[in-house]
């Protein structure tokens, strides 16, 4: 259903159409056509006078000329109205109507010339002047509607008057005094005509502006009334409570939702403040103070507050309060929209309790499973070991078959138990990474070599293809990487009957380390497209037939995925059923610098000249970790420095004031006071300022920026290397005569 336009909207649209350029032009044309007959009264009157004084022929000629101009102008305007209704250009119509206005004015001027130079009427120019003045008034009245046509007519009439008096001035029978009086009289008449037209046109503009202003005000009033009505409907029917309070804080109006939530009706609430009605013993005083402060300062408030209903029930409401200020900035009124969030809070509390209980249950289950797996694996190791011993004794053919069966079954069971143990550790978040520096190529090559016998027993080719540019040393958990690679190669061998398994290794430089890419591809049975999304699910293989035919728990890929994600990487799989599979592991690893000469050799290479710069240098190491303090002490033991240690930031500040060190190695994370705060305190104190070098395990740009902003001079990342530590000392050592700085 469409909205019916309001009368005010219609009036505004009518105004815009009425006073638009096209609207004004149409009004001009209609007015000229409509008042054609009225204008001819003046024409006929003038014709009769001219005919009576100068002869019938001259009178008829004057009327004919005037009527010709009028008819031509009106016919053209009538045609223009039709063309405008058909959608023709307003600019084109304005140009044509201006031309016809010029022609019509010329015909009036011709009639004035006939009267001016008539044998009888020419004796007194008053008649011709009065006729010309009437024509000028008629032309000026259309100025607001068609300015160009009015200007053209007035210009023609002005030139006519000037031309007539000029001709008369140079005539042989001109009496100067008479001519001067007539000219001045005509000028005064022209001035009066101009004043009259100015007043009429000013009245038109003023009326137009007043009409527009009144129309817009009426429209704005209607809109405000409509908005107020809509807001009133919204407030009355809202599910949330709406409270409108006066400037003194007392309630002026509440909606039905307020009554439904609190139990108080409008009449019961009026004259009371919301706090008087709703605050209870458990309402937080700090929240009450915040609400009062927001109202006093004219600031909005949003928060949750505990209230008491009329029946005494405790409820929680989320309130959005907005003070309304007057022109002086004082609180005129305030509007609060409140929502009952009691059930939501209870639901959130119950949900958290359920989540905590579920997490505790999962953790307990995982811990139980891990404990049981450990307990089962211990006797299983005995079974496997004793079976090996049994196989070393003299057994007949059947006994050896029985013993081999026990051994293979025990190993299969032990593999399952190990998988379950790893998975339970991952679930219980007890799996820990042990990053070390290791040879990546050697680690992967040894793992592949370990699987060669199994691949060879099935007649499969197993190859390892590392790219030549692999770094010799990286930092990561080599044990977990080896476990993932064993799982992927073992899977490939299990599901491949003929062909080959290829292992490809490559690395790409990335920030401060590398991205390791490990690809295990086979020519095995492959995986159907619809099952690719489930290969990493727990206890899941491609389908039930696969499980029956090949055995296994389906945990190998699950554990591999979890381990890779623990190390910050991902595993992707591509496969074509019947043609093989391709598993790709991408994993970030840390860069390890090439081995450097031993520290004692470094000291010898530095030379006594360089080391003398360190002689007597006071060094304070702020480090809370006992092992790290011991490492730095061993690193600097052979140097001629005065070395002291502090355990926290507060102690560091005190020792910096008393010990007056030349340089402080400042750990970023310490108890009592952190390294950044301790640095700021030292920089703000009047003590002699030392060099401060940050020690941190973080290497992010934001950490370095924070160190510089706190006033630190340098930045070193953990783990520290002895050569780097000594080199950094030499860089910041004070200059001494006879010594050189590195």
């Amino acid at each position: 259903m469409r909205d019916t336009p309001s009368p005010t909207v219609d009036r505004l649209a009518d105004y815009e159409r009425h006073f638009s350029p096209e609207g004004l032009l149409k009004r001009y044309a209609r007015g000229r056509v409509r008042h054609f007959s009225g204008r001819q009264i003046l024409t006929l009157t003038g014709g009769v006078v001219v005919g009576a004084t100068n002869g019938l022929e001259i009178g008829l000629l004057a009327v004919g000329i005037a009527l010709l101009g009028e008819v031509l102008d009106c016919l053209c305007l009538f045609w223009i109205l039709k063309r405008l209704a058909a959608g023709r250009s307003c600019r084109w119509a304005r140009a044509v109507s201006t031309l016809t206005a010029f022609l019509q004015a010329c015909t009036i001027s011709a009639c004035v010339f006939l009267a001016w130079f008539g044998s009888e009427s020419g004796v007194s120019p008053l008649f011709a002047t009065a006729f010309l003045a009437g024509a000028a008034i008629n032309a000026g009245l259309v100025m607001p509607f068609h300015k160009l046509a009015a200007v053209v007519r007035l210009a023609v009439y002005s030139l006519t008057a000037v031309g007539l008096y000029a001709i008369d001035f140079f005539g042989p029978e001109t009496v100067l005094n008479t001519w001067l009086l007539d000219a001045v009289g005509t000028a005064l008449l022209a001035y009066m005509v101009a004043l009259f037209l100015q007043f009429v046109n000013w009245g038109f503009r003023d009326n137009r502006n007043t009409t527009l202003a009144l129309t817009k005000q009426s429209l704005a009033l209607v809109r405000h009334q409509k908005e107020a009505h809509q807001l009133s409907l919204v407030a009355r029917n809202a599910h949330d409570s709406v409270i409108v309070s006066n400037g003194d804080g007392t309630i002026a109006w509440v909606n039905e939702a307020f009554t439904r939530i609190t139990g108080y009706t409008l009449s019961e609430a009026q004259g009371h403040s919301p706090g008087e009605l709703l605050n209870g013993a458990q309402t937080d005083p700090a929240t009450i103070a915040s609400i009062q402060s927001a109202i006093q300062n004219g600031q909005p408030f949003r928060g949750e507050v505990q209230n008491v209903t009329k029946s005494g029930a405790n409820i929680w409401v989320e309130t959005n309060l907005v003070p309304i200020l007057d022109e002086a900035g004082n609180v005129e009124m305030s509007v609060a929209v409140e929502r009952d969030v009691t059930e939501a809070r209870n639901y959130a509390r119950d949900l958290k309790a359920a989540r905590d209980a579920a997490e505790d249950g999962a953790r307990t289950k995982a811990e139980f499973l891990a404990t049981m797996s450990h307990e089962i694996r211990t006797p299983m190791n005995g079974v496997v070991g004793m079976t090996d011993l049994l196989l070393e004794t003299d057994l007949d053919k059947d006994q050896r078959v029985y013993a081999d069966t026990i051994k293979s079954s025990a190993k299969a069971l032990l593999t399952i138990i190990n998988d379950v143990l790893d998975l339970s550790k991952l679930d219980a978040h007890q799996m820990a990474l042990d990053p070390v520096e290791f040879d990546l190529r050697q680690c992967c090559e040894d793992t592949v070599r370990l699987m060669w016998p199994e691949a060879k027993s099935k007649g499969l080719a197993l190859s390892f293809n590392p790219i030549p540019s692999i770094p010799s040393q990286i930092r990561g958990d080599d044990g977990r990487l080896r476990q993932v690679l064993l799982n992927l190669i073992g899977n490939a061998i299990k599901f491949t009957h003929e062909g080959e398994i290829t292992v490809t290794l490559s690395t790409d430089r990335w920030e401060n380390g590398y991205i390791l890419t490990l690809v295990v591809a086979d020519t095995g049975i492959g995986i159907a497209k619809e099952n690719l999304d489930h290969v990493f699910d727990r206890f899941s293989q491609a389908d039930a037939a696969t499980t029956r035919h090949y055995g296994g728990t389906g945990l190998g890929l699950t554990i591999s995925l979890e381990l890779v994600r623990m190390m910050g990487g991902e595993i992707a799989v591509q496969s074509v059923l019947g043609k093989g599979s391709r598993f790709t592991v991408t994993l970030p690893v840390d860069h390890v610098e090439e081995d450097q000469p031993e520290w004692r050799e470094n000291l010898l290479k530095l030379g006594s000249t360089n080391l003398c710069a360190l002689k007597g240098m006071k060094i304070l190491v702020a480090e809370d970790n006992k092992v790290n303090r011991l490492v730095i002490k061993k690193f600097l033991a052979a140097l001629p420095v005065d070395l002291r240690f502090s355990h926290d930031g507060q102690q560091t500040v005190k020792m910096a004031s008393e010990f007056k060190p030349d340089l402080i190695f400042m750990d970023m994370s310490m108890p009592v006071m952190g390294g950044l705060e301790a640095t700021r305190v030292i920089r703000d104190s009047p003590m002699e300022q030392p060099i401060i070098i940050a020690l941190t395990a973080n290497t992010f740009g934001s950490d370095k920026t924070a160190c510089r902003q706190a006033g630190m001079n340098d930045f070193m990342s953990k783990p520290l290397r002895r050569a780097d530590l000594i080199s950094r000392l030499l860089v910041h050592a004070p200059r001494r005569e006879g010594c050189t700085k590195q």
Side-chain angles (χ1 to χ4, degrees):
M1 182 177 179
R2 295 183 179 179
D3 293 336
T4 303
S6 69
T8 305
V9 175
D10 289 340
R11 286 200 300 271
L12 182 61
D14 289 341
Y15 174 88
E16 292 175 348
R17 288 192 300 269
H18 211 51
F19 290 98
S20 66
E22 183 176 347
L24 291 173
L25 180 60
K26 288 180 178 179
R27 290 171 65 188
Y28 164 77
R30 292 193 190 103
R32 292 286 300 177
V33 172
R34 185 182 303 116
H35 297 100
F36 172 81
S37 58
R39 291 195 303 276
Q40 303 323 307
I41 295 175
L42 180 64
T43 302
L44 293 176
T45 301
V48 169
V49 172
V50 171
T53 56
N54 299 321
L56 181 61
E57 295 83 358
I58 300 299
L60 291 175
L61 179 62
V63 171
I65 293 174
L67 285 175
L68 176 64
E70 287 282 355
V71 170
L72 177 64
D73 183 48
C74 287
L75 288 175
C76 181
L77 291 176
F78 185 77
W79 179 70
I80 284 174
L81 285 173
K82 289 187 175 182
R83 302 297 288 175
L84 287 176
R88 287 298 300 271
S89 168
C90 176
R91 181 178 299 179
W92 167 86
R94 192 177 299 277
V96 173
S97 59
T98 301
L99 177 61
T100 59
F102 171 75
L103 295 176
Q104 188 266 335
C106 290
T107 60
I108 297 298
S109 295
C111 293
V112 171
F113 267 90
L114 289 176
W116 186 275
F117 294 106
S119 58
E120 297 297 333
S121 59
V123 175
S124 175
L126 177 60
F127 171 74
T129 303
F131 193 85
L132 194 61
I137 291 174
N138 184 267
L141 290 176
V142 301
M143 181 78 74
F145 306 95
H146 197 334
K147 184 176 181 179
L148 190 57
V151 169
V152 166
R153 283 192 174 97
L154 291 174
V156 170
Y157 298 152
S158 298
L159 291 174
T160 299
V162 172
L164 289 173
Y165 276 98
I167 294 172
D168 200 26
F169 178 78
F170 292 105
E173 299 178 358
T174 299
V175 179
L176 183 59
N177 291 337
T178 303
W179 180 91
L180 184 60
L181 289 173
D182 291 341
V184 172
T186 302
L188 289 174
L189 182 60
Y191 177 70
M192 295 301 295
V193 169
L195 287 179
F196 173 75
L197 292 178
Q198 182 180 7
F199 175 77
V200 171
N201 290 327
W202 175 85
F204 176 86
R205 289 193 300 270
D206 184 64
N207 178 65
R208 180 182 62 184
N209 295 336
T210 302
T211 303
L212 177 61
L214 290 175
T215 303
K216 288 185 175 180
Q217 288 177 2
S218 300
L219 181 60
L221 181 60
V222 170
R223 287 175 178 170
H224 289 321
Q225 290 175 343
K226 185 176 181 180
E227 290 175 358
H229 179 66
Q230 290 174 340
L231 289 175
S232 175
L233 290 176
V234 170
R236 290 181 183 277
N237 297 284
H239 292 290
D240 293 341
S241 167
V242 179
I243 307 171
V244 179
S245 300
N246 298 314
D248 59 0
T250 58
I251 296 175
W253 181 85
V254 295
N255 65 348
E256 294 180 1
F258 175 86
T259 303
R260 185 174 61 253
I261 293 172
T262 67
Y264 292 102
T265 63
L266 173 60
S267 60
E268 292 173 328
Q270 284 177 330
H272 298 278
S273 69
E276 291 175 358
L277 292 177
L278 304 175
N279 289 345
Q282 298 182 16
T283 305
D284 184 13
T287 304
I288 297 174
S290 298
I291 295 175
Q292 292 175 346
S293 175
I295 295 175
Q296 291 173 359
N297 297 322
Q299 299 293 327
F301 173 85
R302 180 173 183 173
E304 293 184 358
V305 59
Q306 189 173 19
N307 287 156
V308 179
T309 66
K310 183 179 179 180
S311 63
N314 288 315
I315 60 171
W316 280 92
V317 295
E318 180 187 55
T319 180
N320 288 274
L321 186 146
V322 179
I324 309 299
L325 307 181
D326 58 17
E327 296 179 356
N330 299 318
V331 177
E332 183 176 2
M333 61 182 295
S334 60
V335 179
V337 179
E338 297 185 341
R339 175 173 297 178
D340 186 351
V341 294
T342 307
E343 291 186 5
R345 288 177 67 93
N346 292 338
Y347 176 76
R349 184 189 63 235
D350 295 342
L351 186 63
K352 182 179 183 302
R355 184 177 63 249
D356 292 342
E359 290 176 352
D360 289 341
R363 193 178 303 109
T364 302
K365 180 184 69 175
E367 291 173 353
F368 170 78
L369 191 58
T371 302
M372 292 304 297
S373 297
H374 273 297
E375 295 299 324
I376 295 172
R377 191 171 63 170
T378 300
M380 283 304 304
N381 285 332
V383 172
V384 173
M386 295 308 292
T387 304
D388 287 338
L389 293 175
L390 181 61
L391 287 170
E392 293 176 3
T393 63
D394 293 331
L395 302 173
D396 59 30
K397 184 177 180 181
D398 289 338
Q399 290 172 335
R400 187 165 295 279
V401 170
Y402 298 154
D404 282 336
T405 303
I406 293 172
K407 182 179 180 179
S408 61
S409 298
K411 284 187 175 180
L413 182 58
L414 189 59
T415 300
I416 294 172
I417 292 170
N418 287 336
D419 285 346
V420 173
L421 176 61
D422 284 342
L423 191 62
S424 63
K425 283 183 176 180
L426 289 167
D427 284 344
H429 304 292
Q430 293 180 353
M431 182 75 76
L433 299 177
D434 184 20
V436 295
E437 297 178 8
F438 68 96
D439 188 324
L440 175 61
R441 184 194 302 266
Q442 191 66 43
C443 173
C444 295
E445 190 172 348
D446 290 346
T447 306
V448 173
R449 188 181 294 114
L450 186 64
M451 302 299 291
W452 277 341
E454 187 175 346
K456 186 177 180 181
S457 67
K458 293 188 66 174
L460 303 174
L462 176 59
S463 60
F464 176 55
N465 304 314
I467 64 171
S469 60
I470 290 176
S472 59
Q473 292 285 313
I474 63 168
R475 183 176 179 81
D477 193 326
D478 59 332
R480 297 304 175 189
L481 177 62
R482 189 179 289 110
Q483 182 179 354
V484 171
L485 186 55
L486 282 172
N487 277 339
L488 294 179
I489 297 175
N491 251 27
I493 294 174
K494 180 191 293 187
F495 297 110
T496 303
H497 301 300
E498 59 181 1
E500 62 177 350
I501 294 103
T502 58
V503 180
T504 306
L505 176 65
S506 62
T507 56
D508 294 305
R509 192 75 188 192
W510 179 75
E511 292 188 356
N512 297 321
Y514 301 92
I515 291 293
L516 177 155
T517 303
L518 191 61
V519 180
V520 178
D522 63 62
T523 57
I525 63 174
I527 306 169
K529 184 177 181 181
E530 61 270 17
N531 293 324
L532 279 176
D533 294 336
H534 303 291
V535 296
F536 294 106
D537 293 349
R538 300 183 180 197
F539 309 106
S540 172
Q541 292 181 346
D543 53 44
T546 303
T547 304
R548 291 193 299 270
H549 188 272
Y550 293 96
T553 62
L555 291 177
L557 290 178
T558 303
I559 293 172
S560 298
L561 177 63
E562 295 290 341
L563 289 175
V564 169
R565 286 180 173 174
M566 275 186 64
M567 294 185 283
E570 273 295 340
I571 298 182
V573 59
Q574 296 172 305
S575 185
V576 178
L577 190 63
K579 294 186 178 181
S581 303
R582 176 188 178 93
F583 288 84
T584 303
V585 177
T586 54
L587 192 67
V589 293
D590 293 331
H591 169 68
V592 176
E593 295 182 4
E594 297 296 329
D595 290 338
Q596 307 219 358
E598 290 297 323
W599 68 279
R600 292 188 183 277
E601 297 179 17
N602 284 341
L603 292 181
L604 292 175
K605 287 186 177 182
L606 290 173
S608 59
T609 302
N610 283 332
L611 289 178
C612 78
L614 303 178
K615 187 175 181 180
M617 187 176 180
K618 294 182 178 182
I619 300 174
L620 175 61
V621 179
E623 173 64 65
D624 64 311
N625 187 278
K626 183 177 180 180
V627 175
N628 289 341
R629 292 199 301 269
L630 179 61
V631 170
I632 295 176
K633 184 176 181 180
K634 294 293 185 183
F635 280 176
L636 305 181
L639 299 181
V641 297
D642 186 358
L643 185 63
R644 306 283 179 90
F645 292 90
S646 60
H647 301 170
D648 57 58
Q650 193 173 63
Q651 187 182 24
T652 301
V653 174
K654 182 179 179 182
M655 291 186 66
S657 177
E658 297 174 353
F659 178 49
K660 296 181 175 57
D662 299 305
L663 184 144
I664 300 177
F665 285 112
M666 184 76 74
D667 184 30
M668 294 278 284
S669 179
M670 293 186 292
V672 184
M673 183 186 294
L676 292 175
E677 187 178 355
T679 300
R680 294 189 188 99
V681 174
I682 292 173
R683 292 307 188 209
D684 292 339
S685 67
M687 71 176 71
E688 186 176 347
Q689 293 296 316
I691 299 294
I692 300 180
I693 300 177
L695 301 180
T696 179
N698 297 328
T699 57
F700 298 111
S702 58
D703 296 306
K704 296 181 180 180
T705 301
C707 291
R708 286 194 298 269
Q709 291 176 348
M712 295 183 176
N713 304 95
D714 209 341
F715 185 97
M716 292 189 71
S717 300
K718 296 178 181 179
L720 301 174
R721 299 180 64 86
R722 182 180 285 109
D724 294 338
L725 195 65
I726 296 174
S727 176
R728 203 64 60 93
L729 277 177
L730 289 171
V731 169
H732 294 288
R735 295 182 180 274
R736 290 187 172 88
E737 188 176 352
C739 299
T740 59
K741 292 181 69 175
Q742 182 152 303

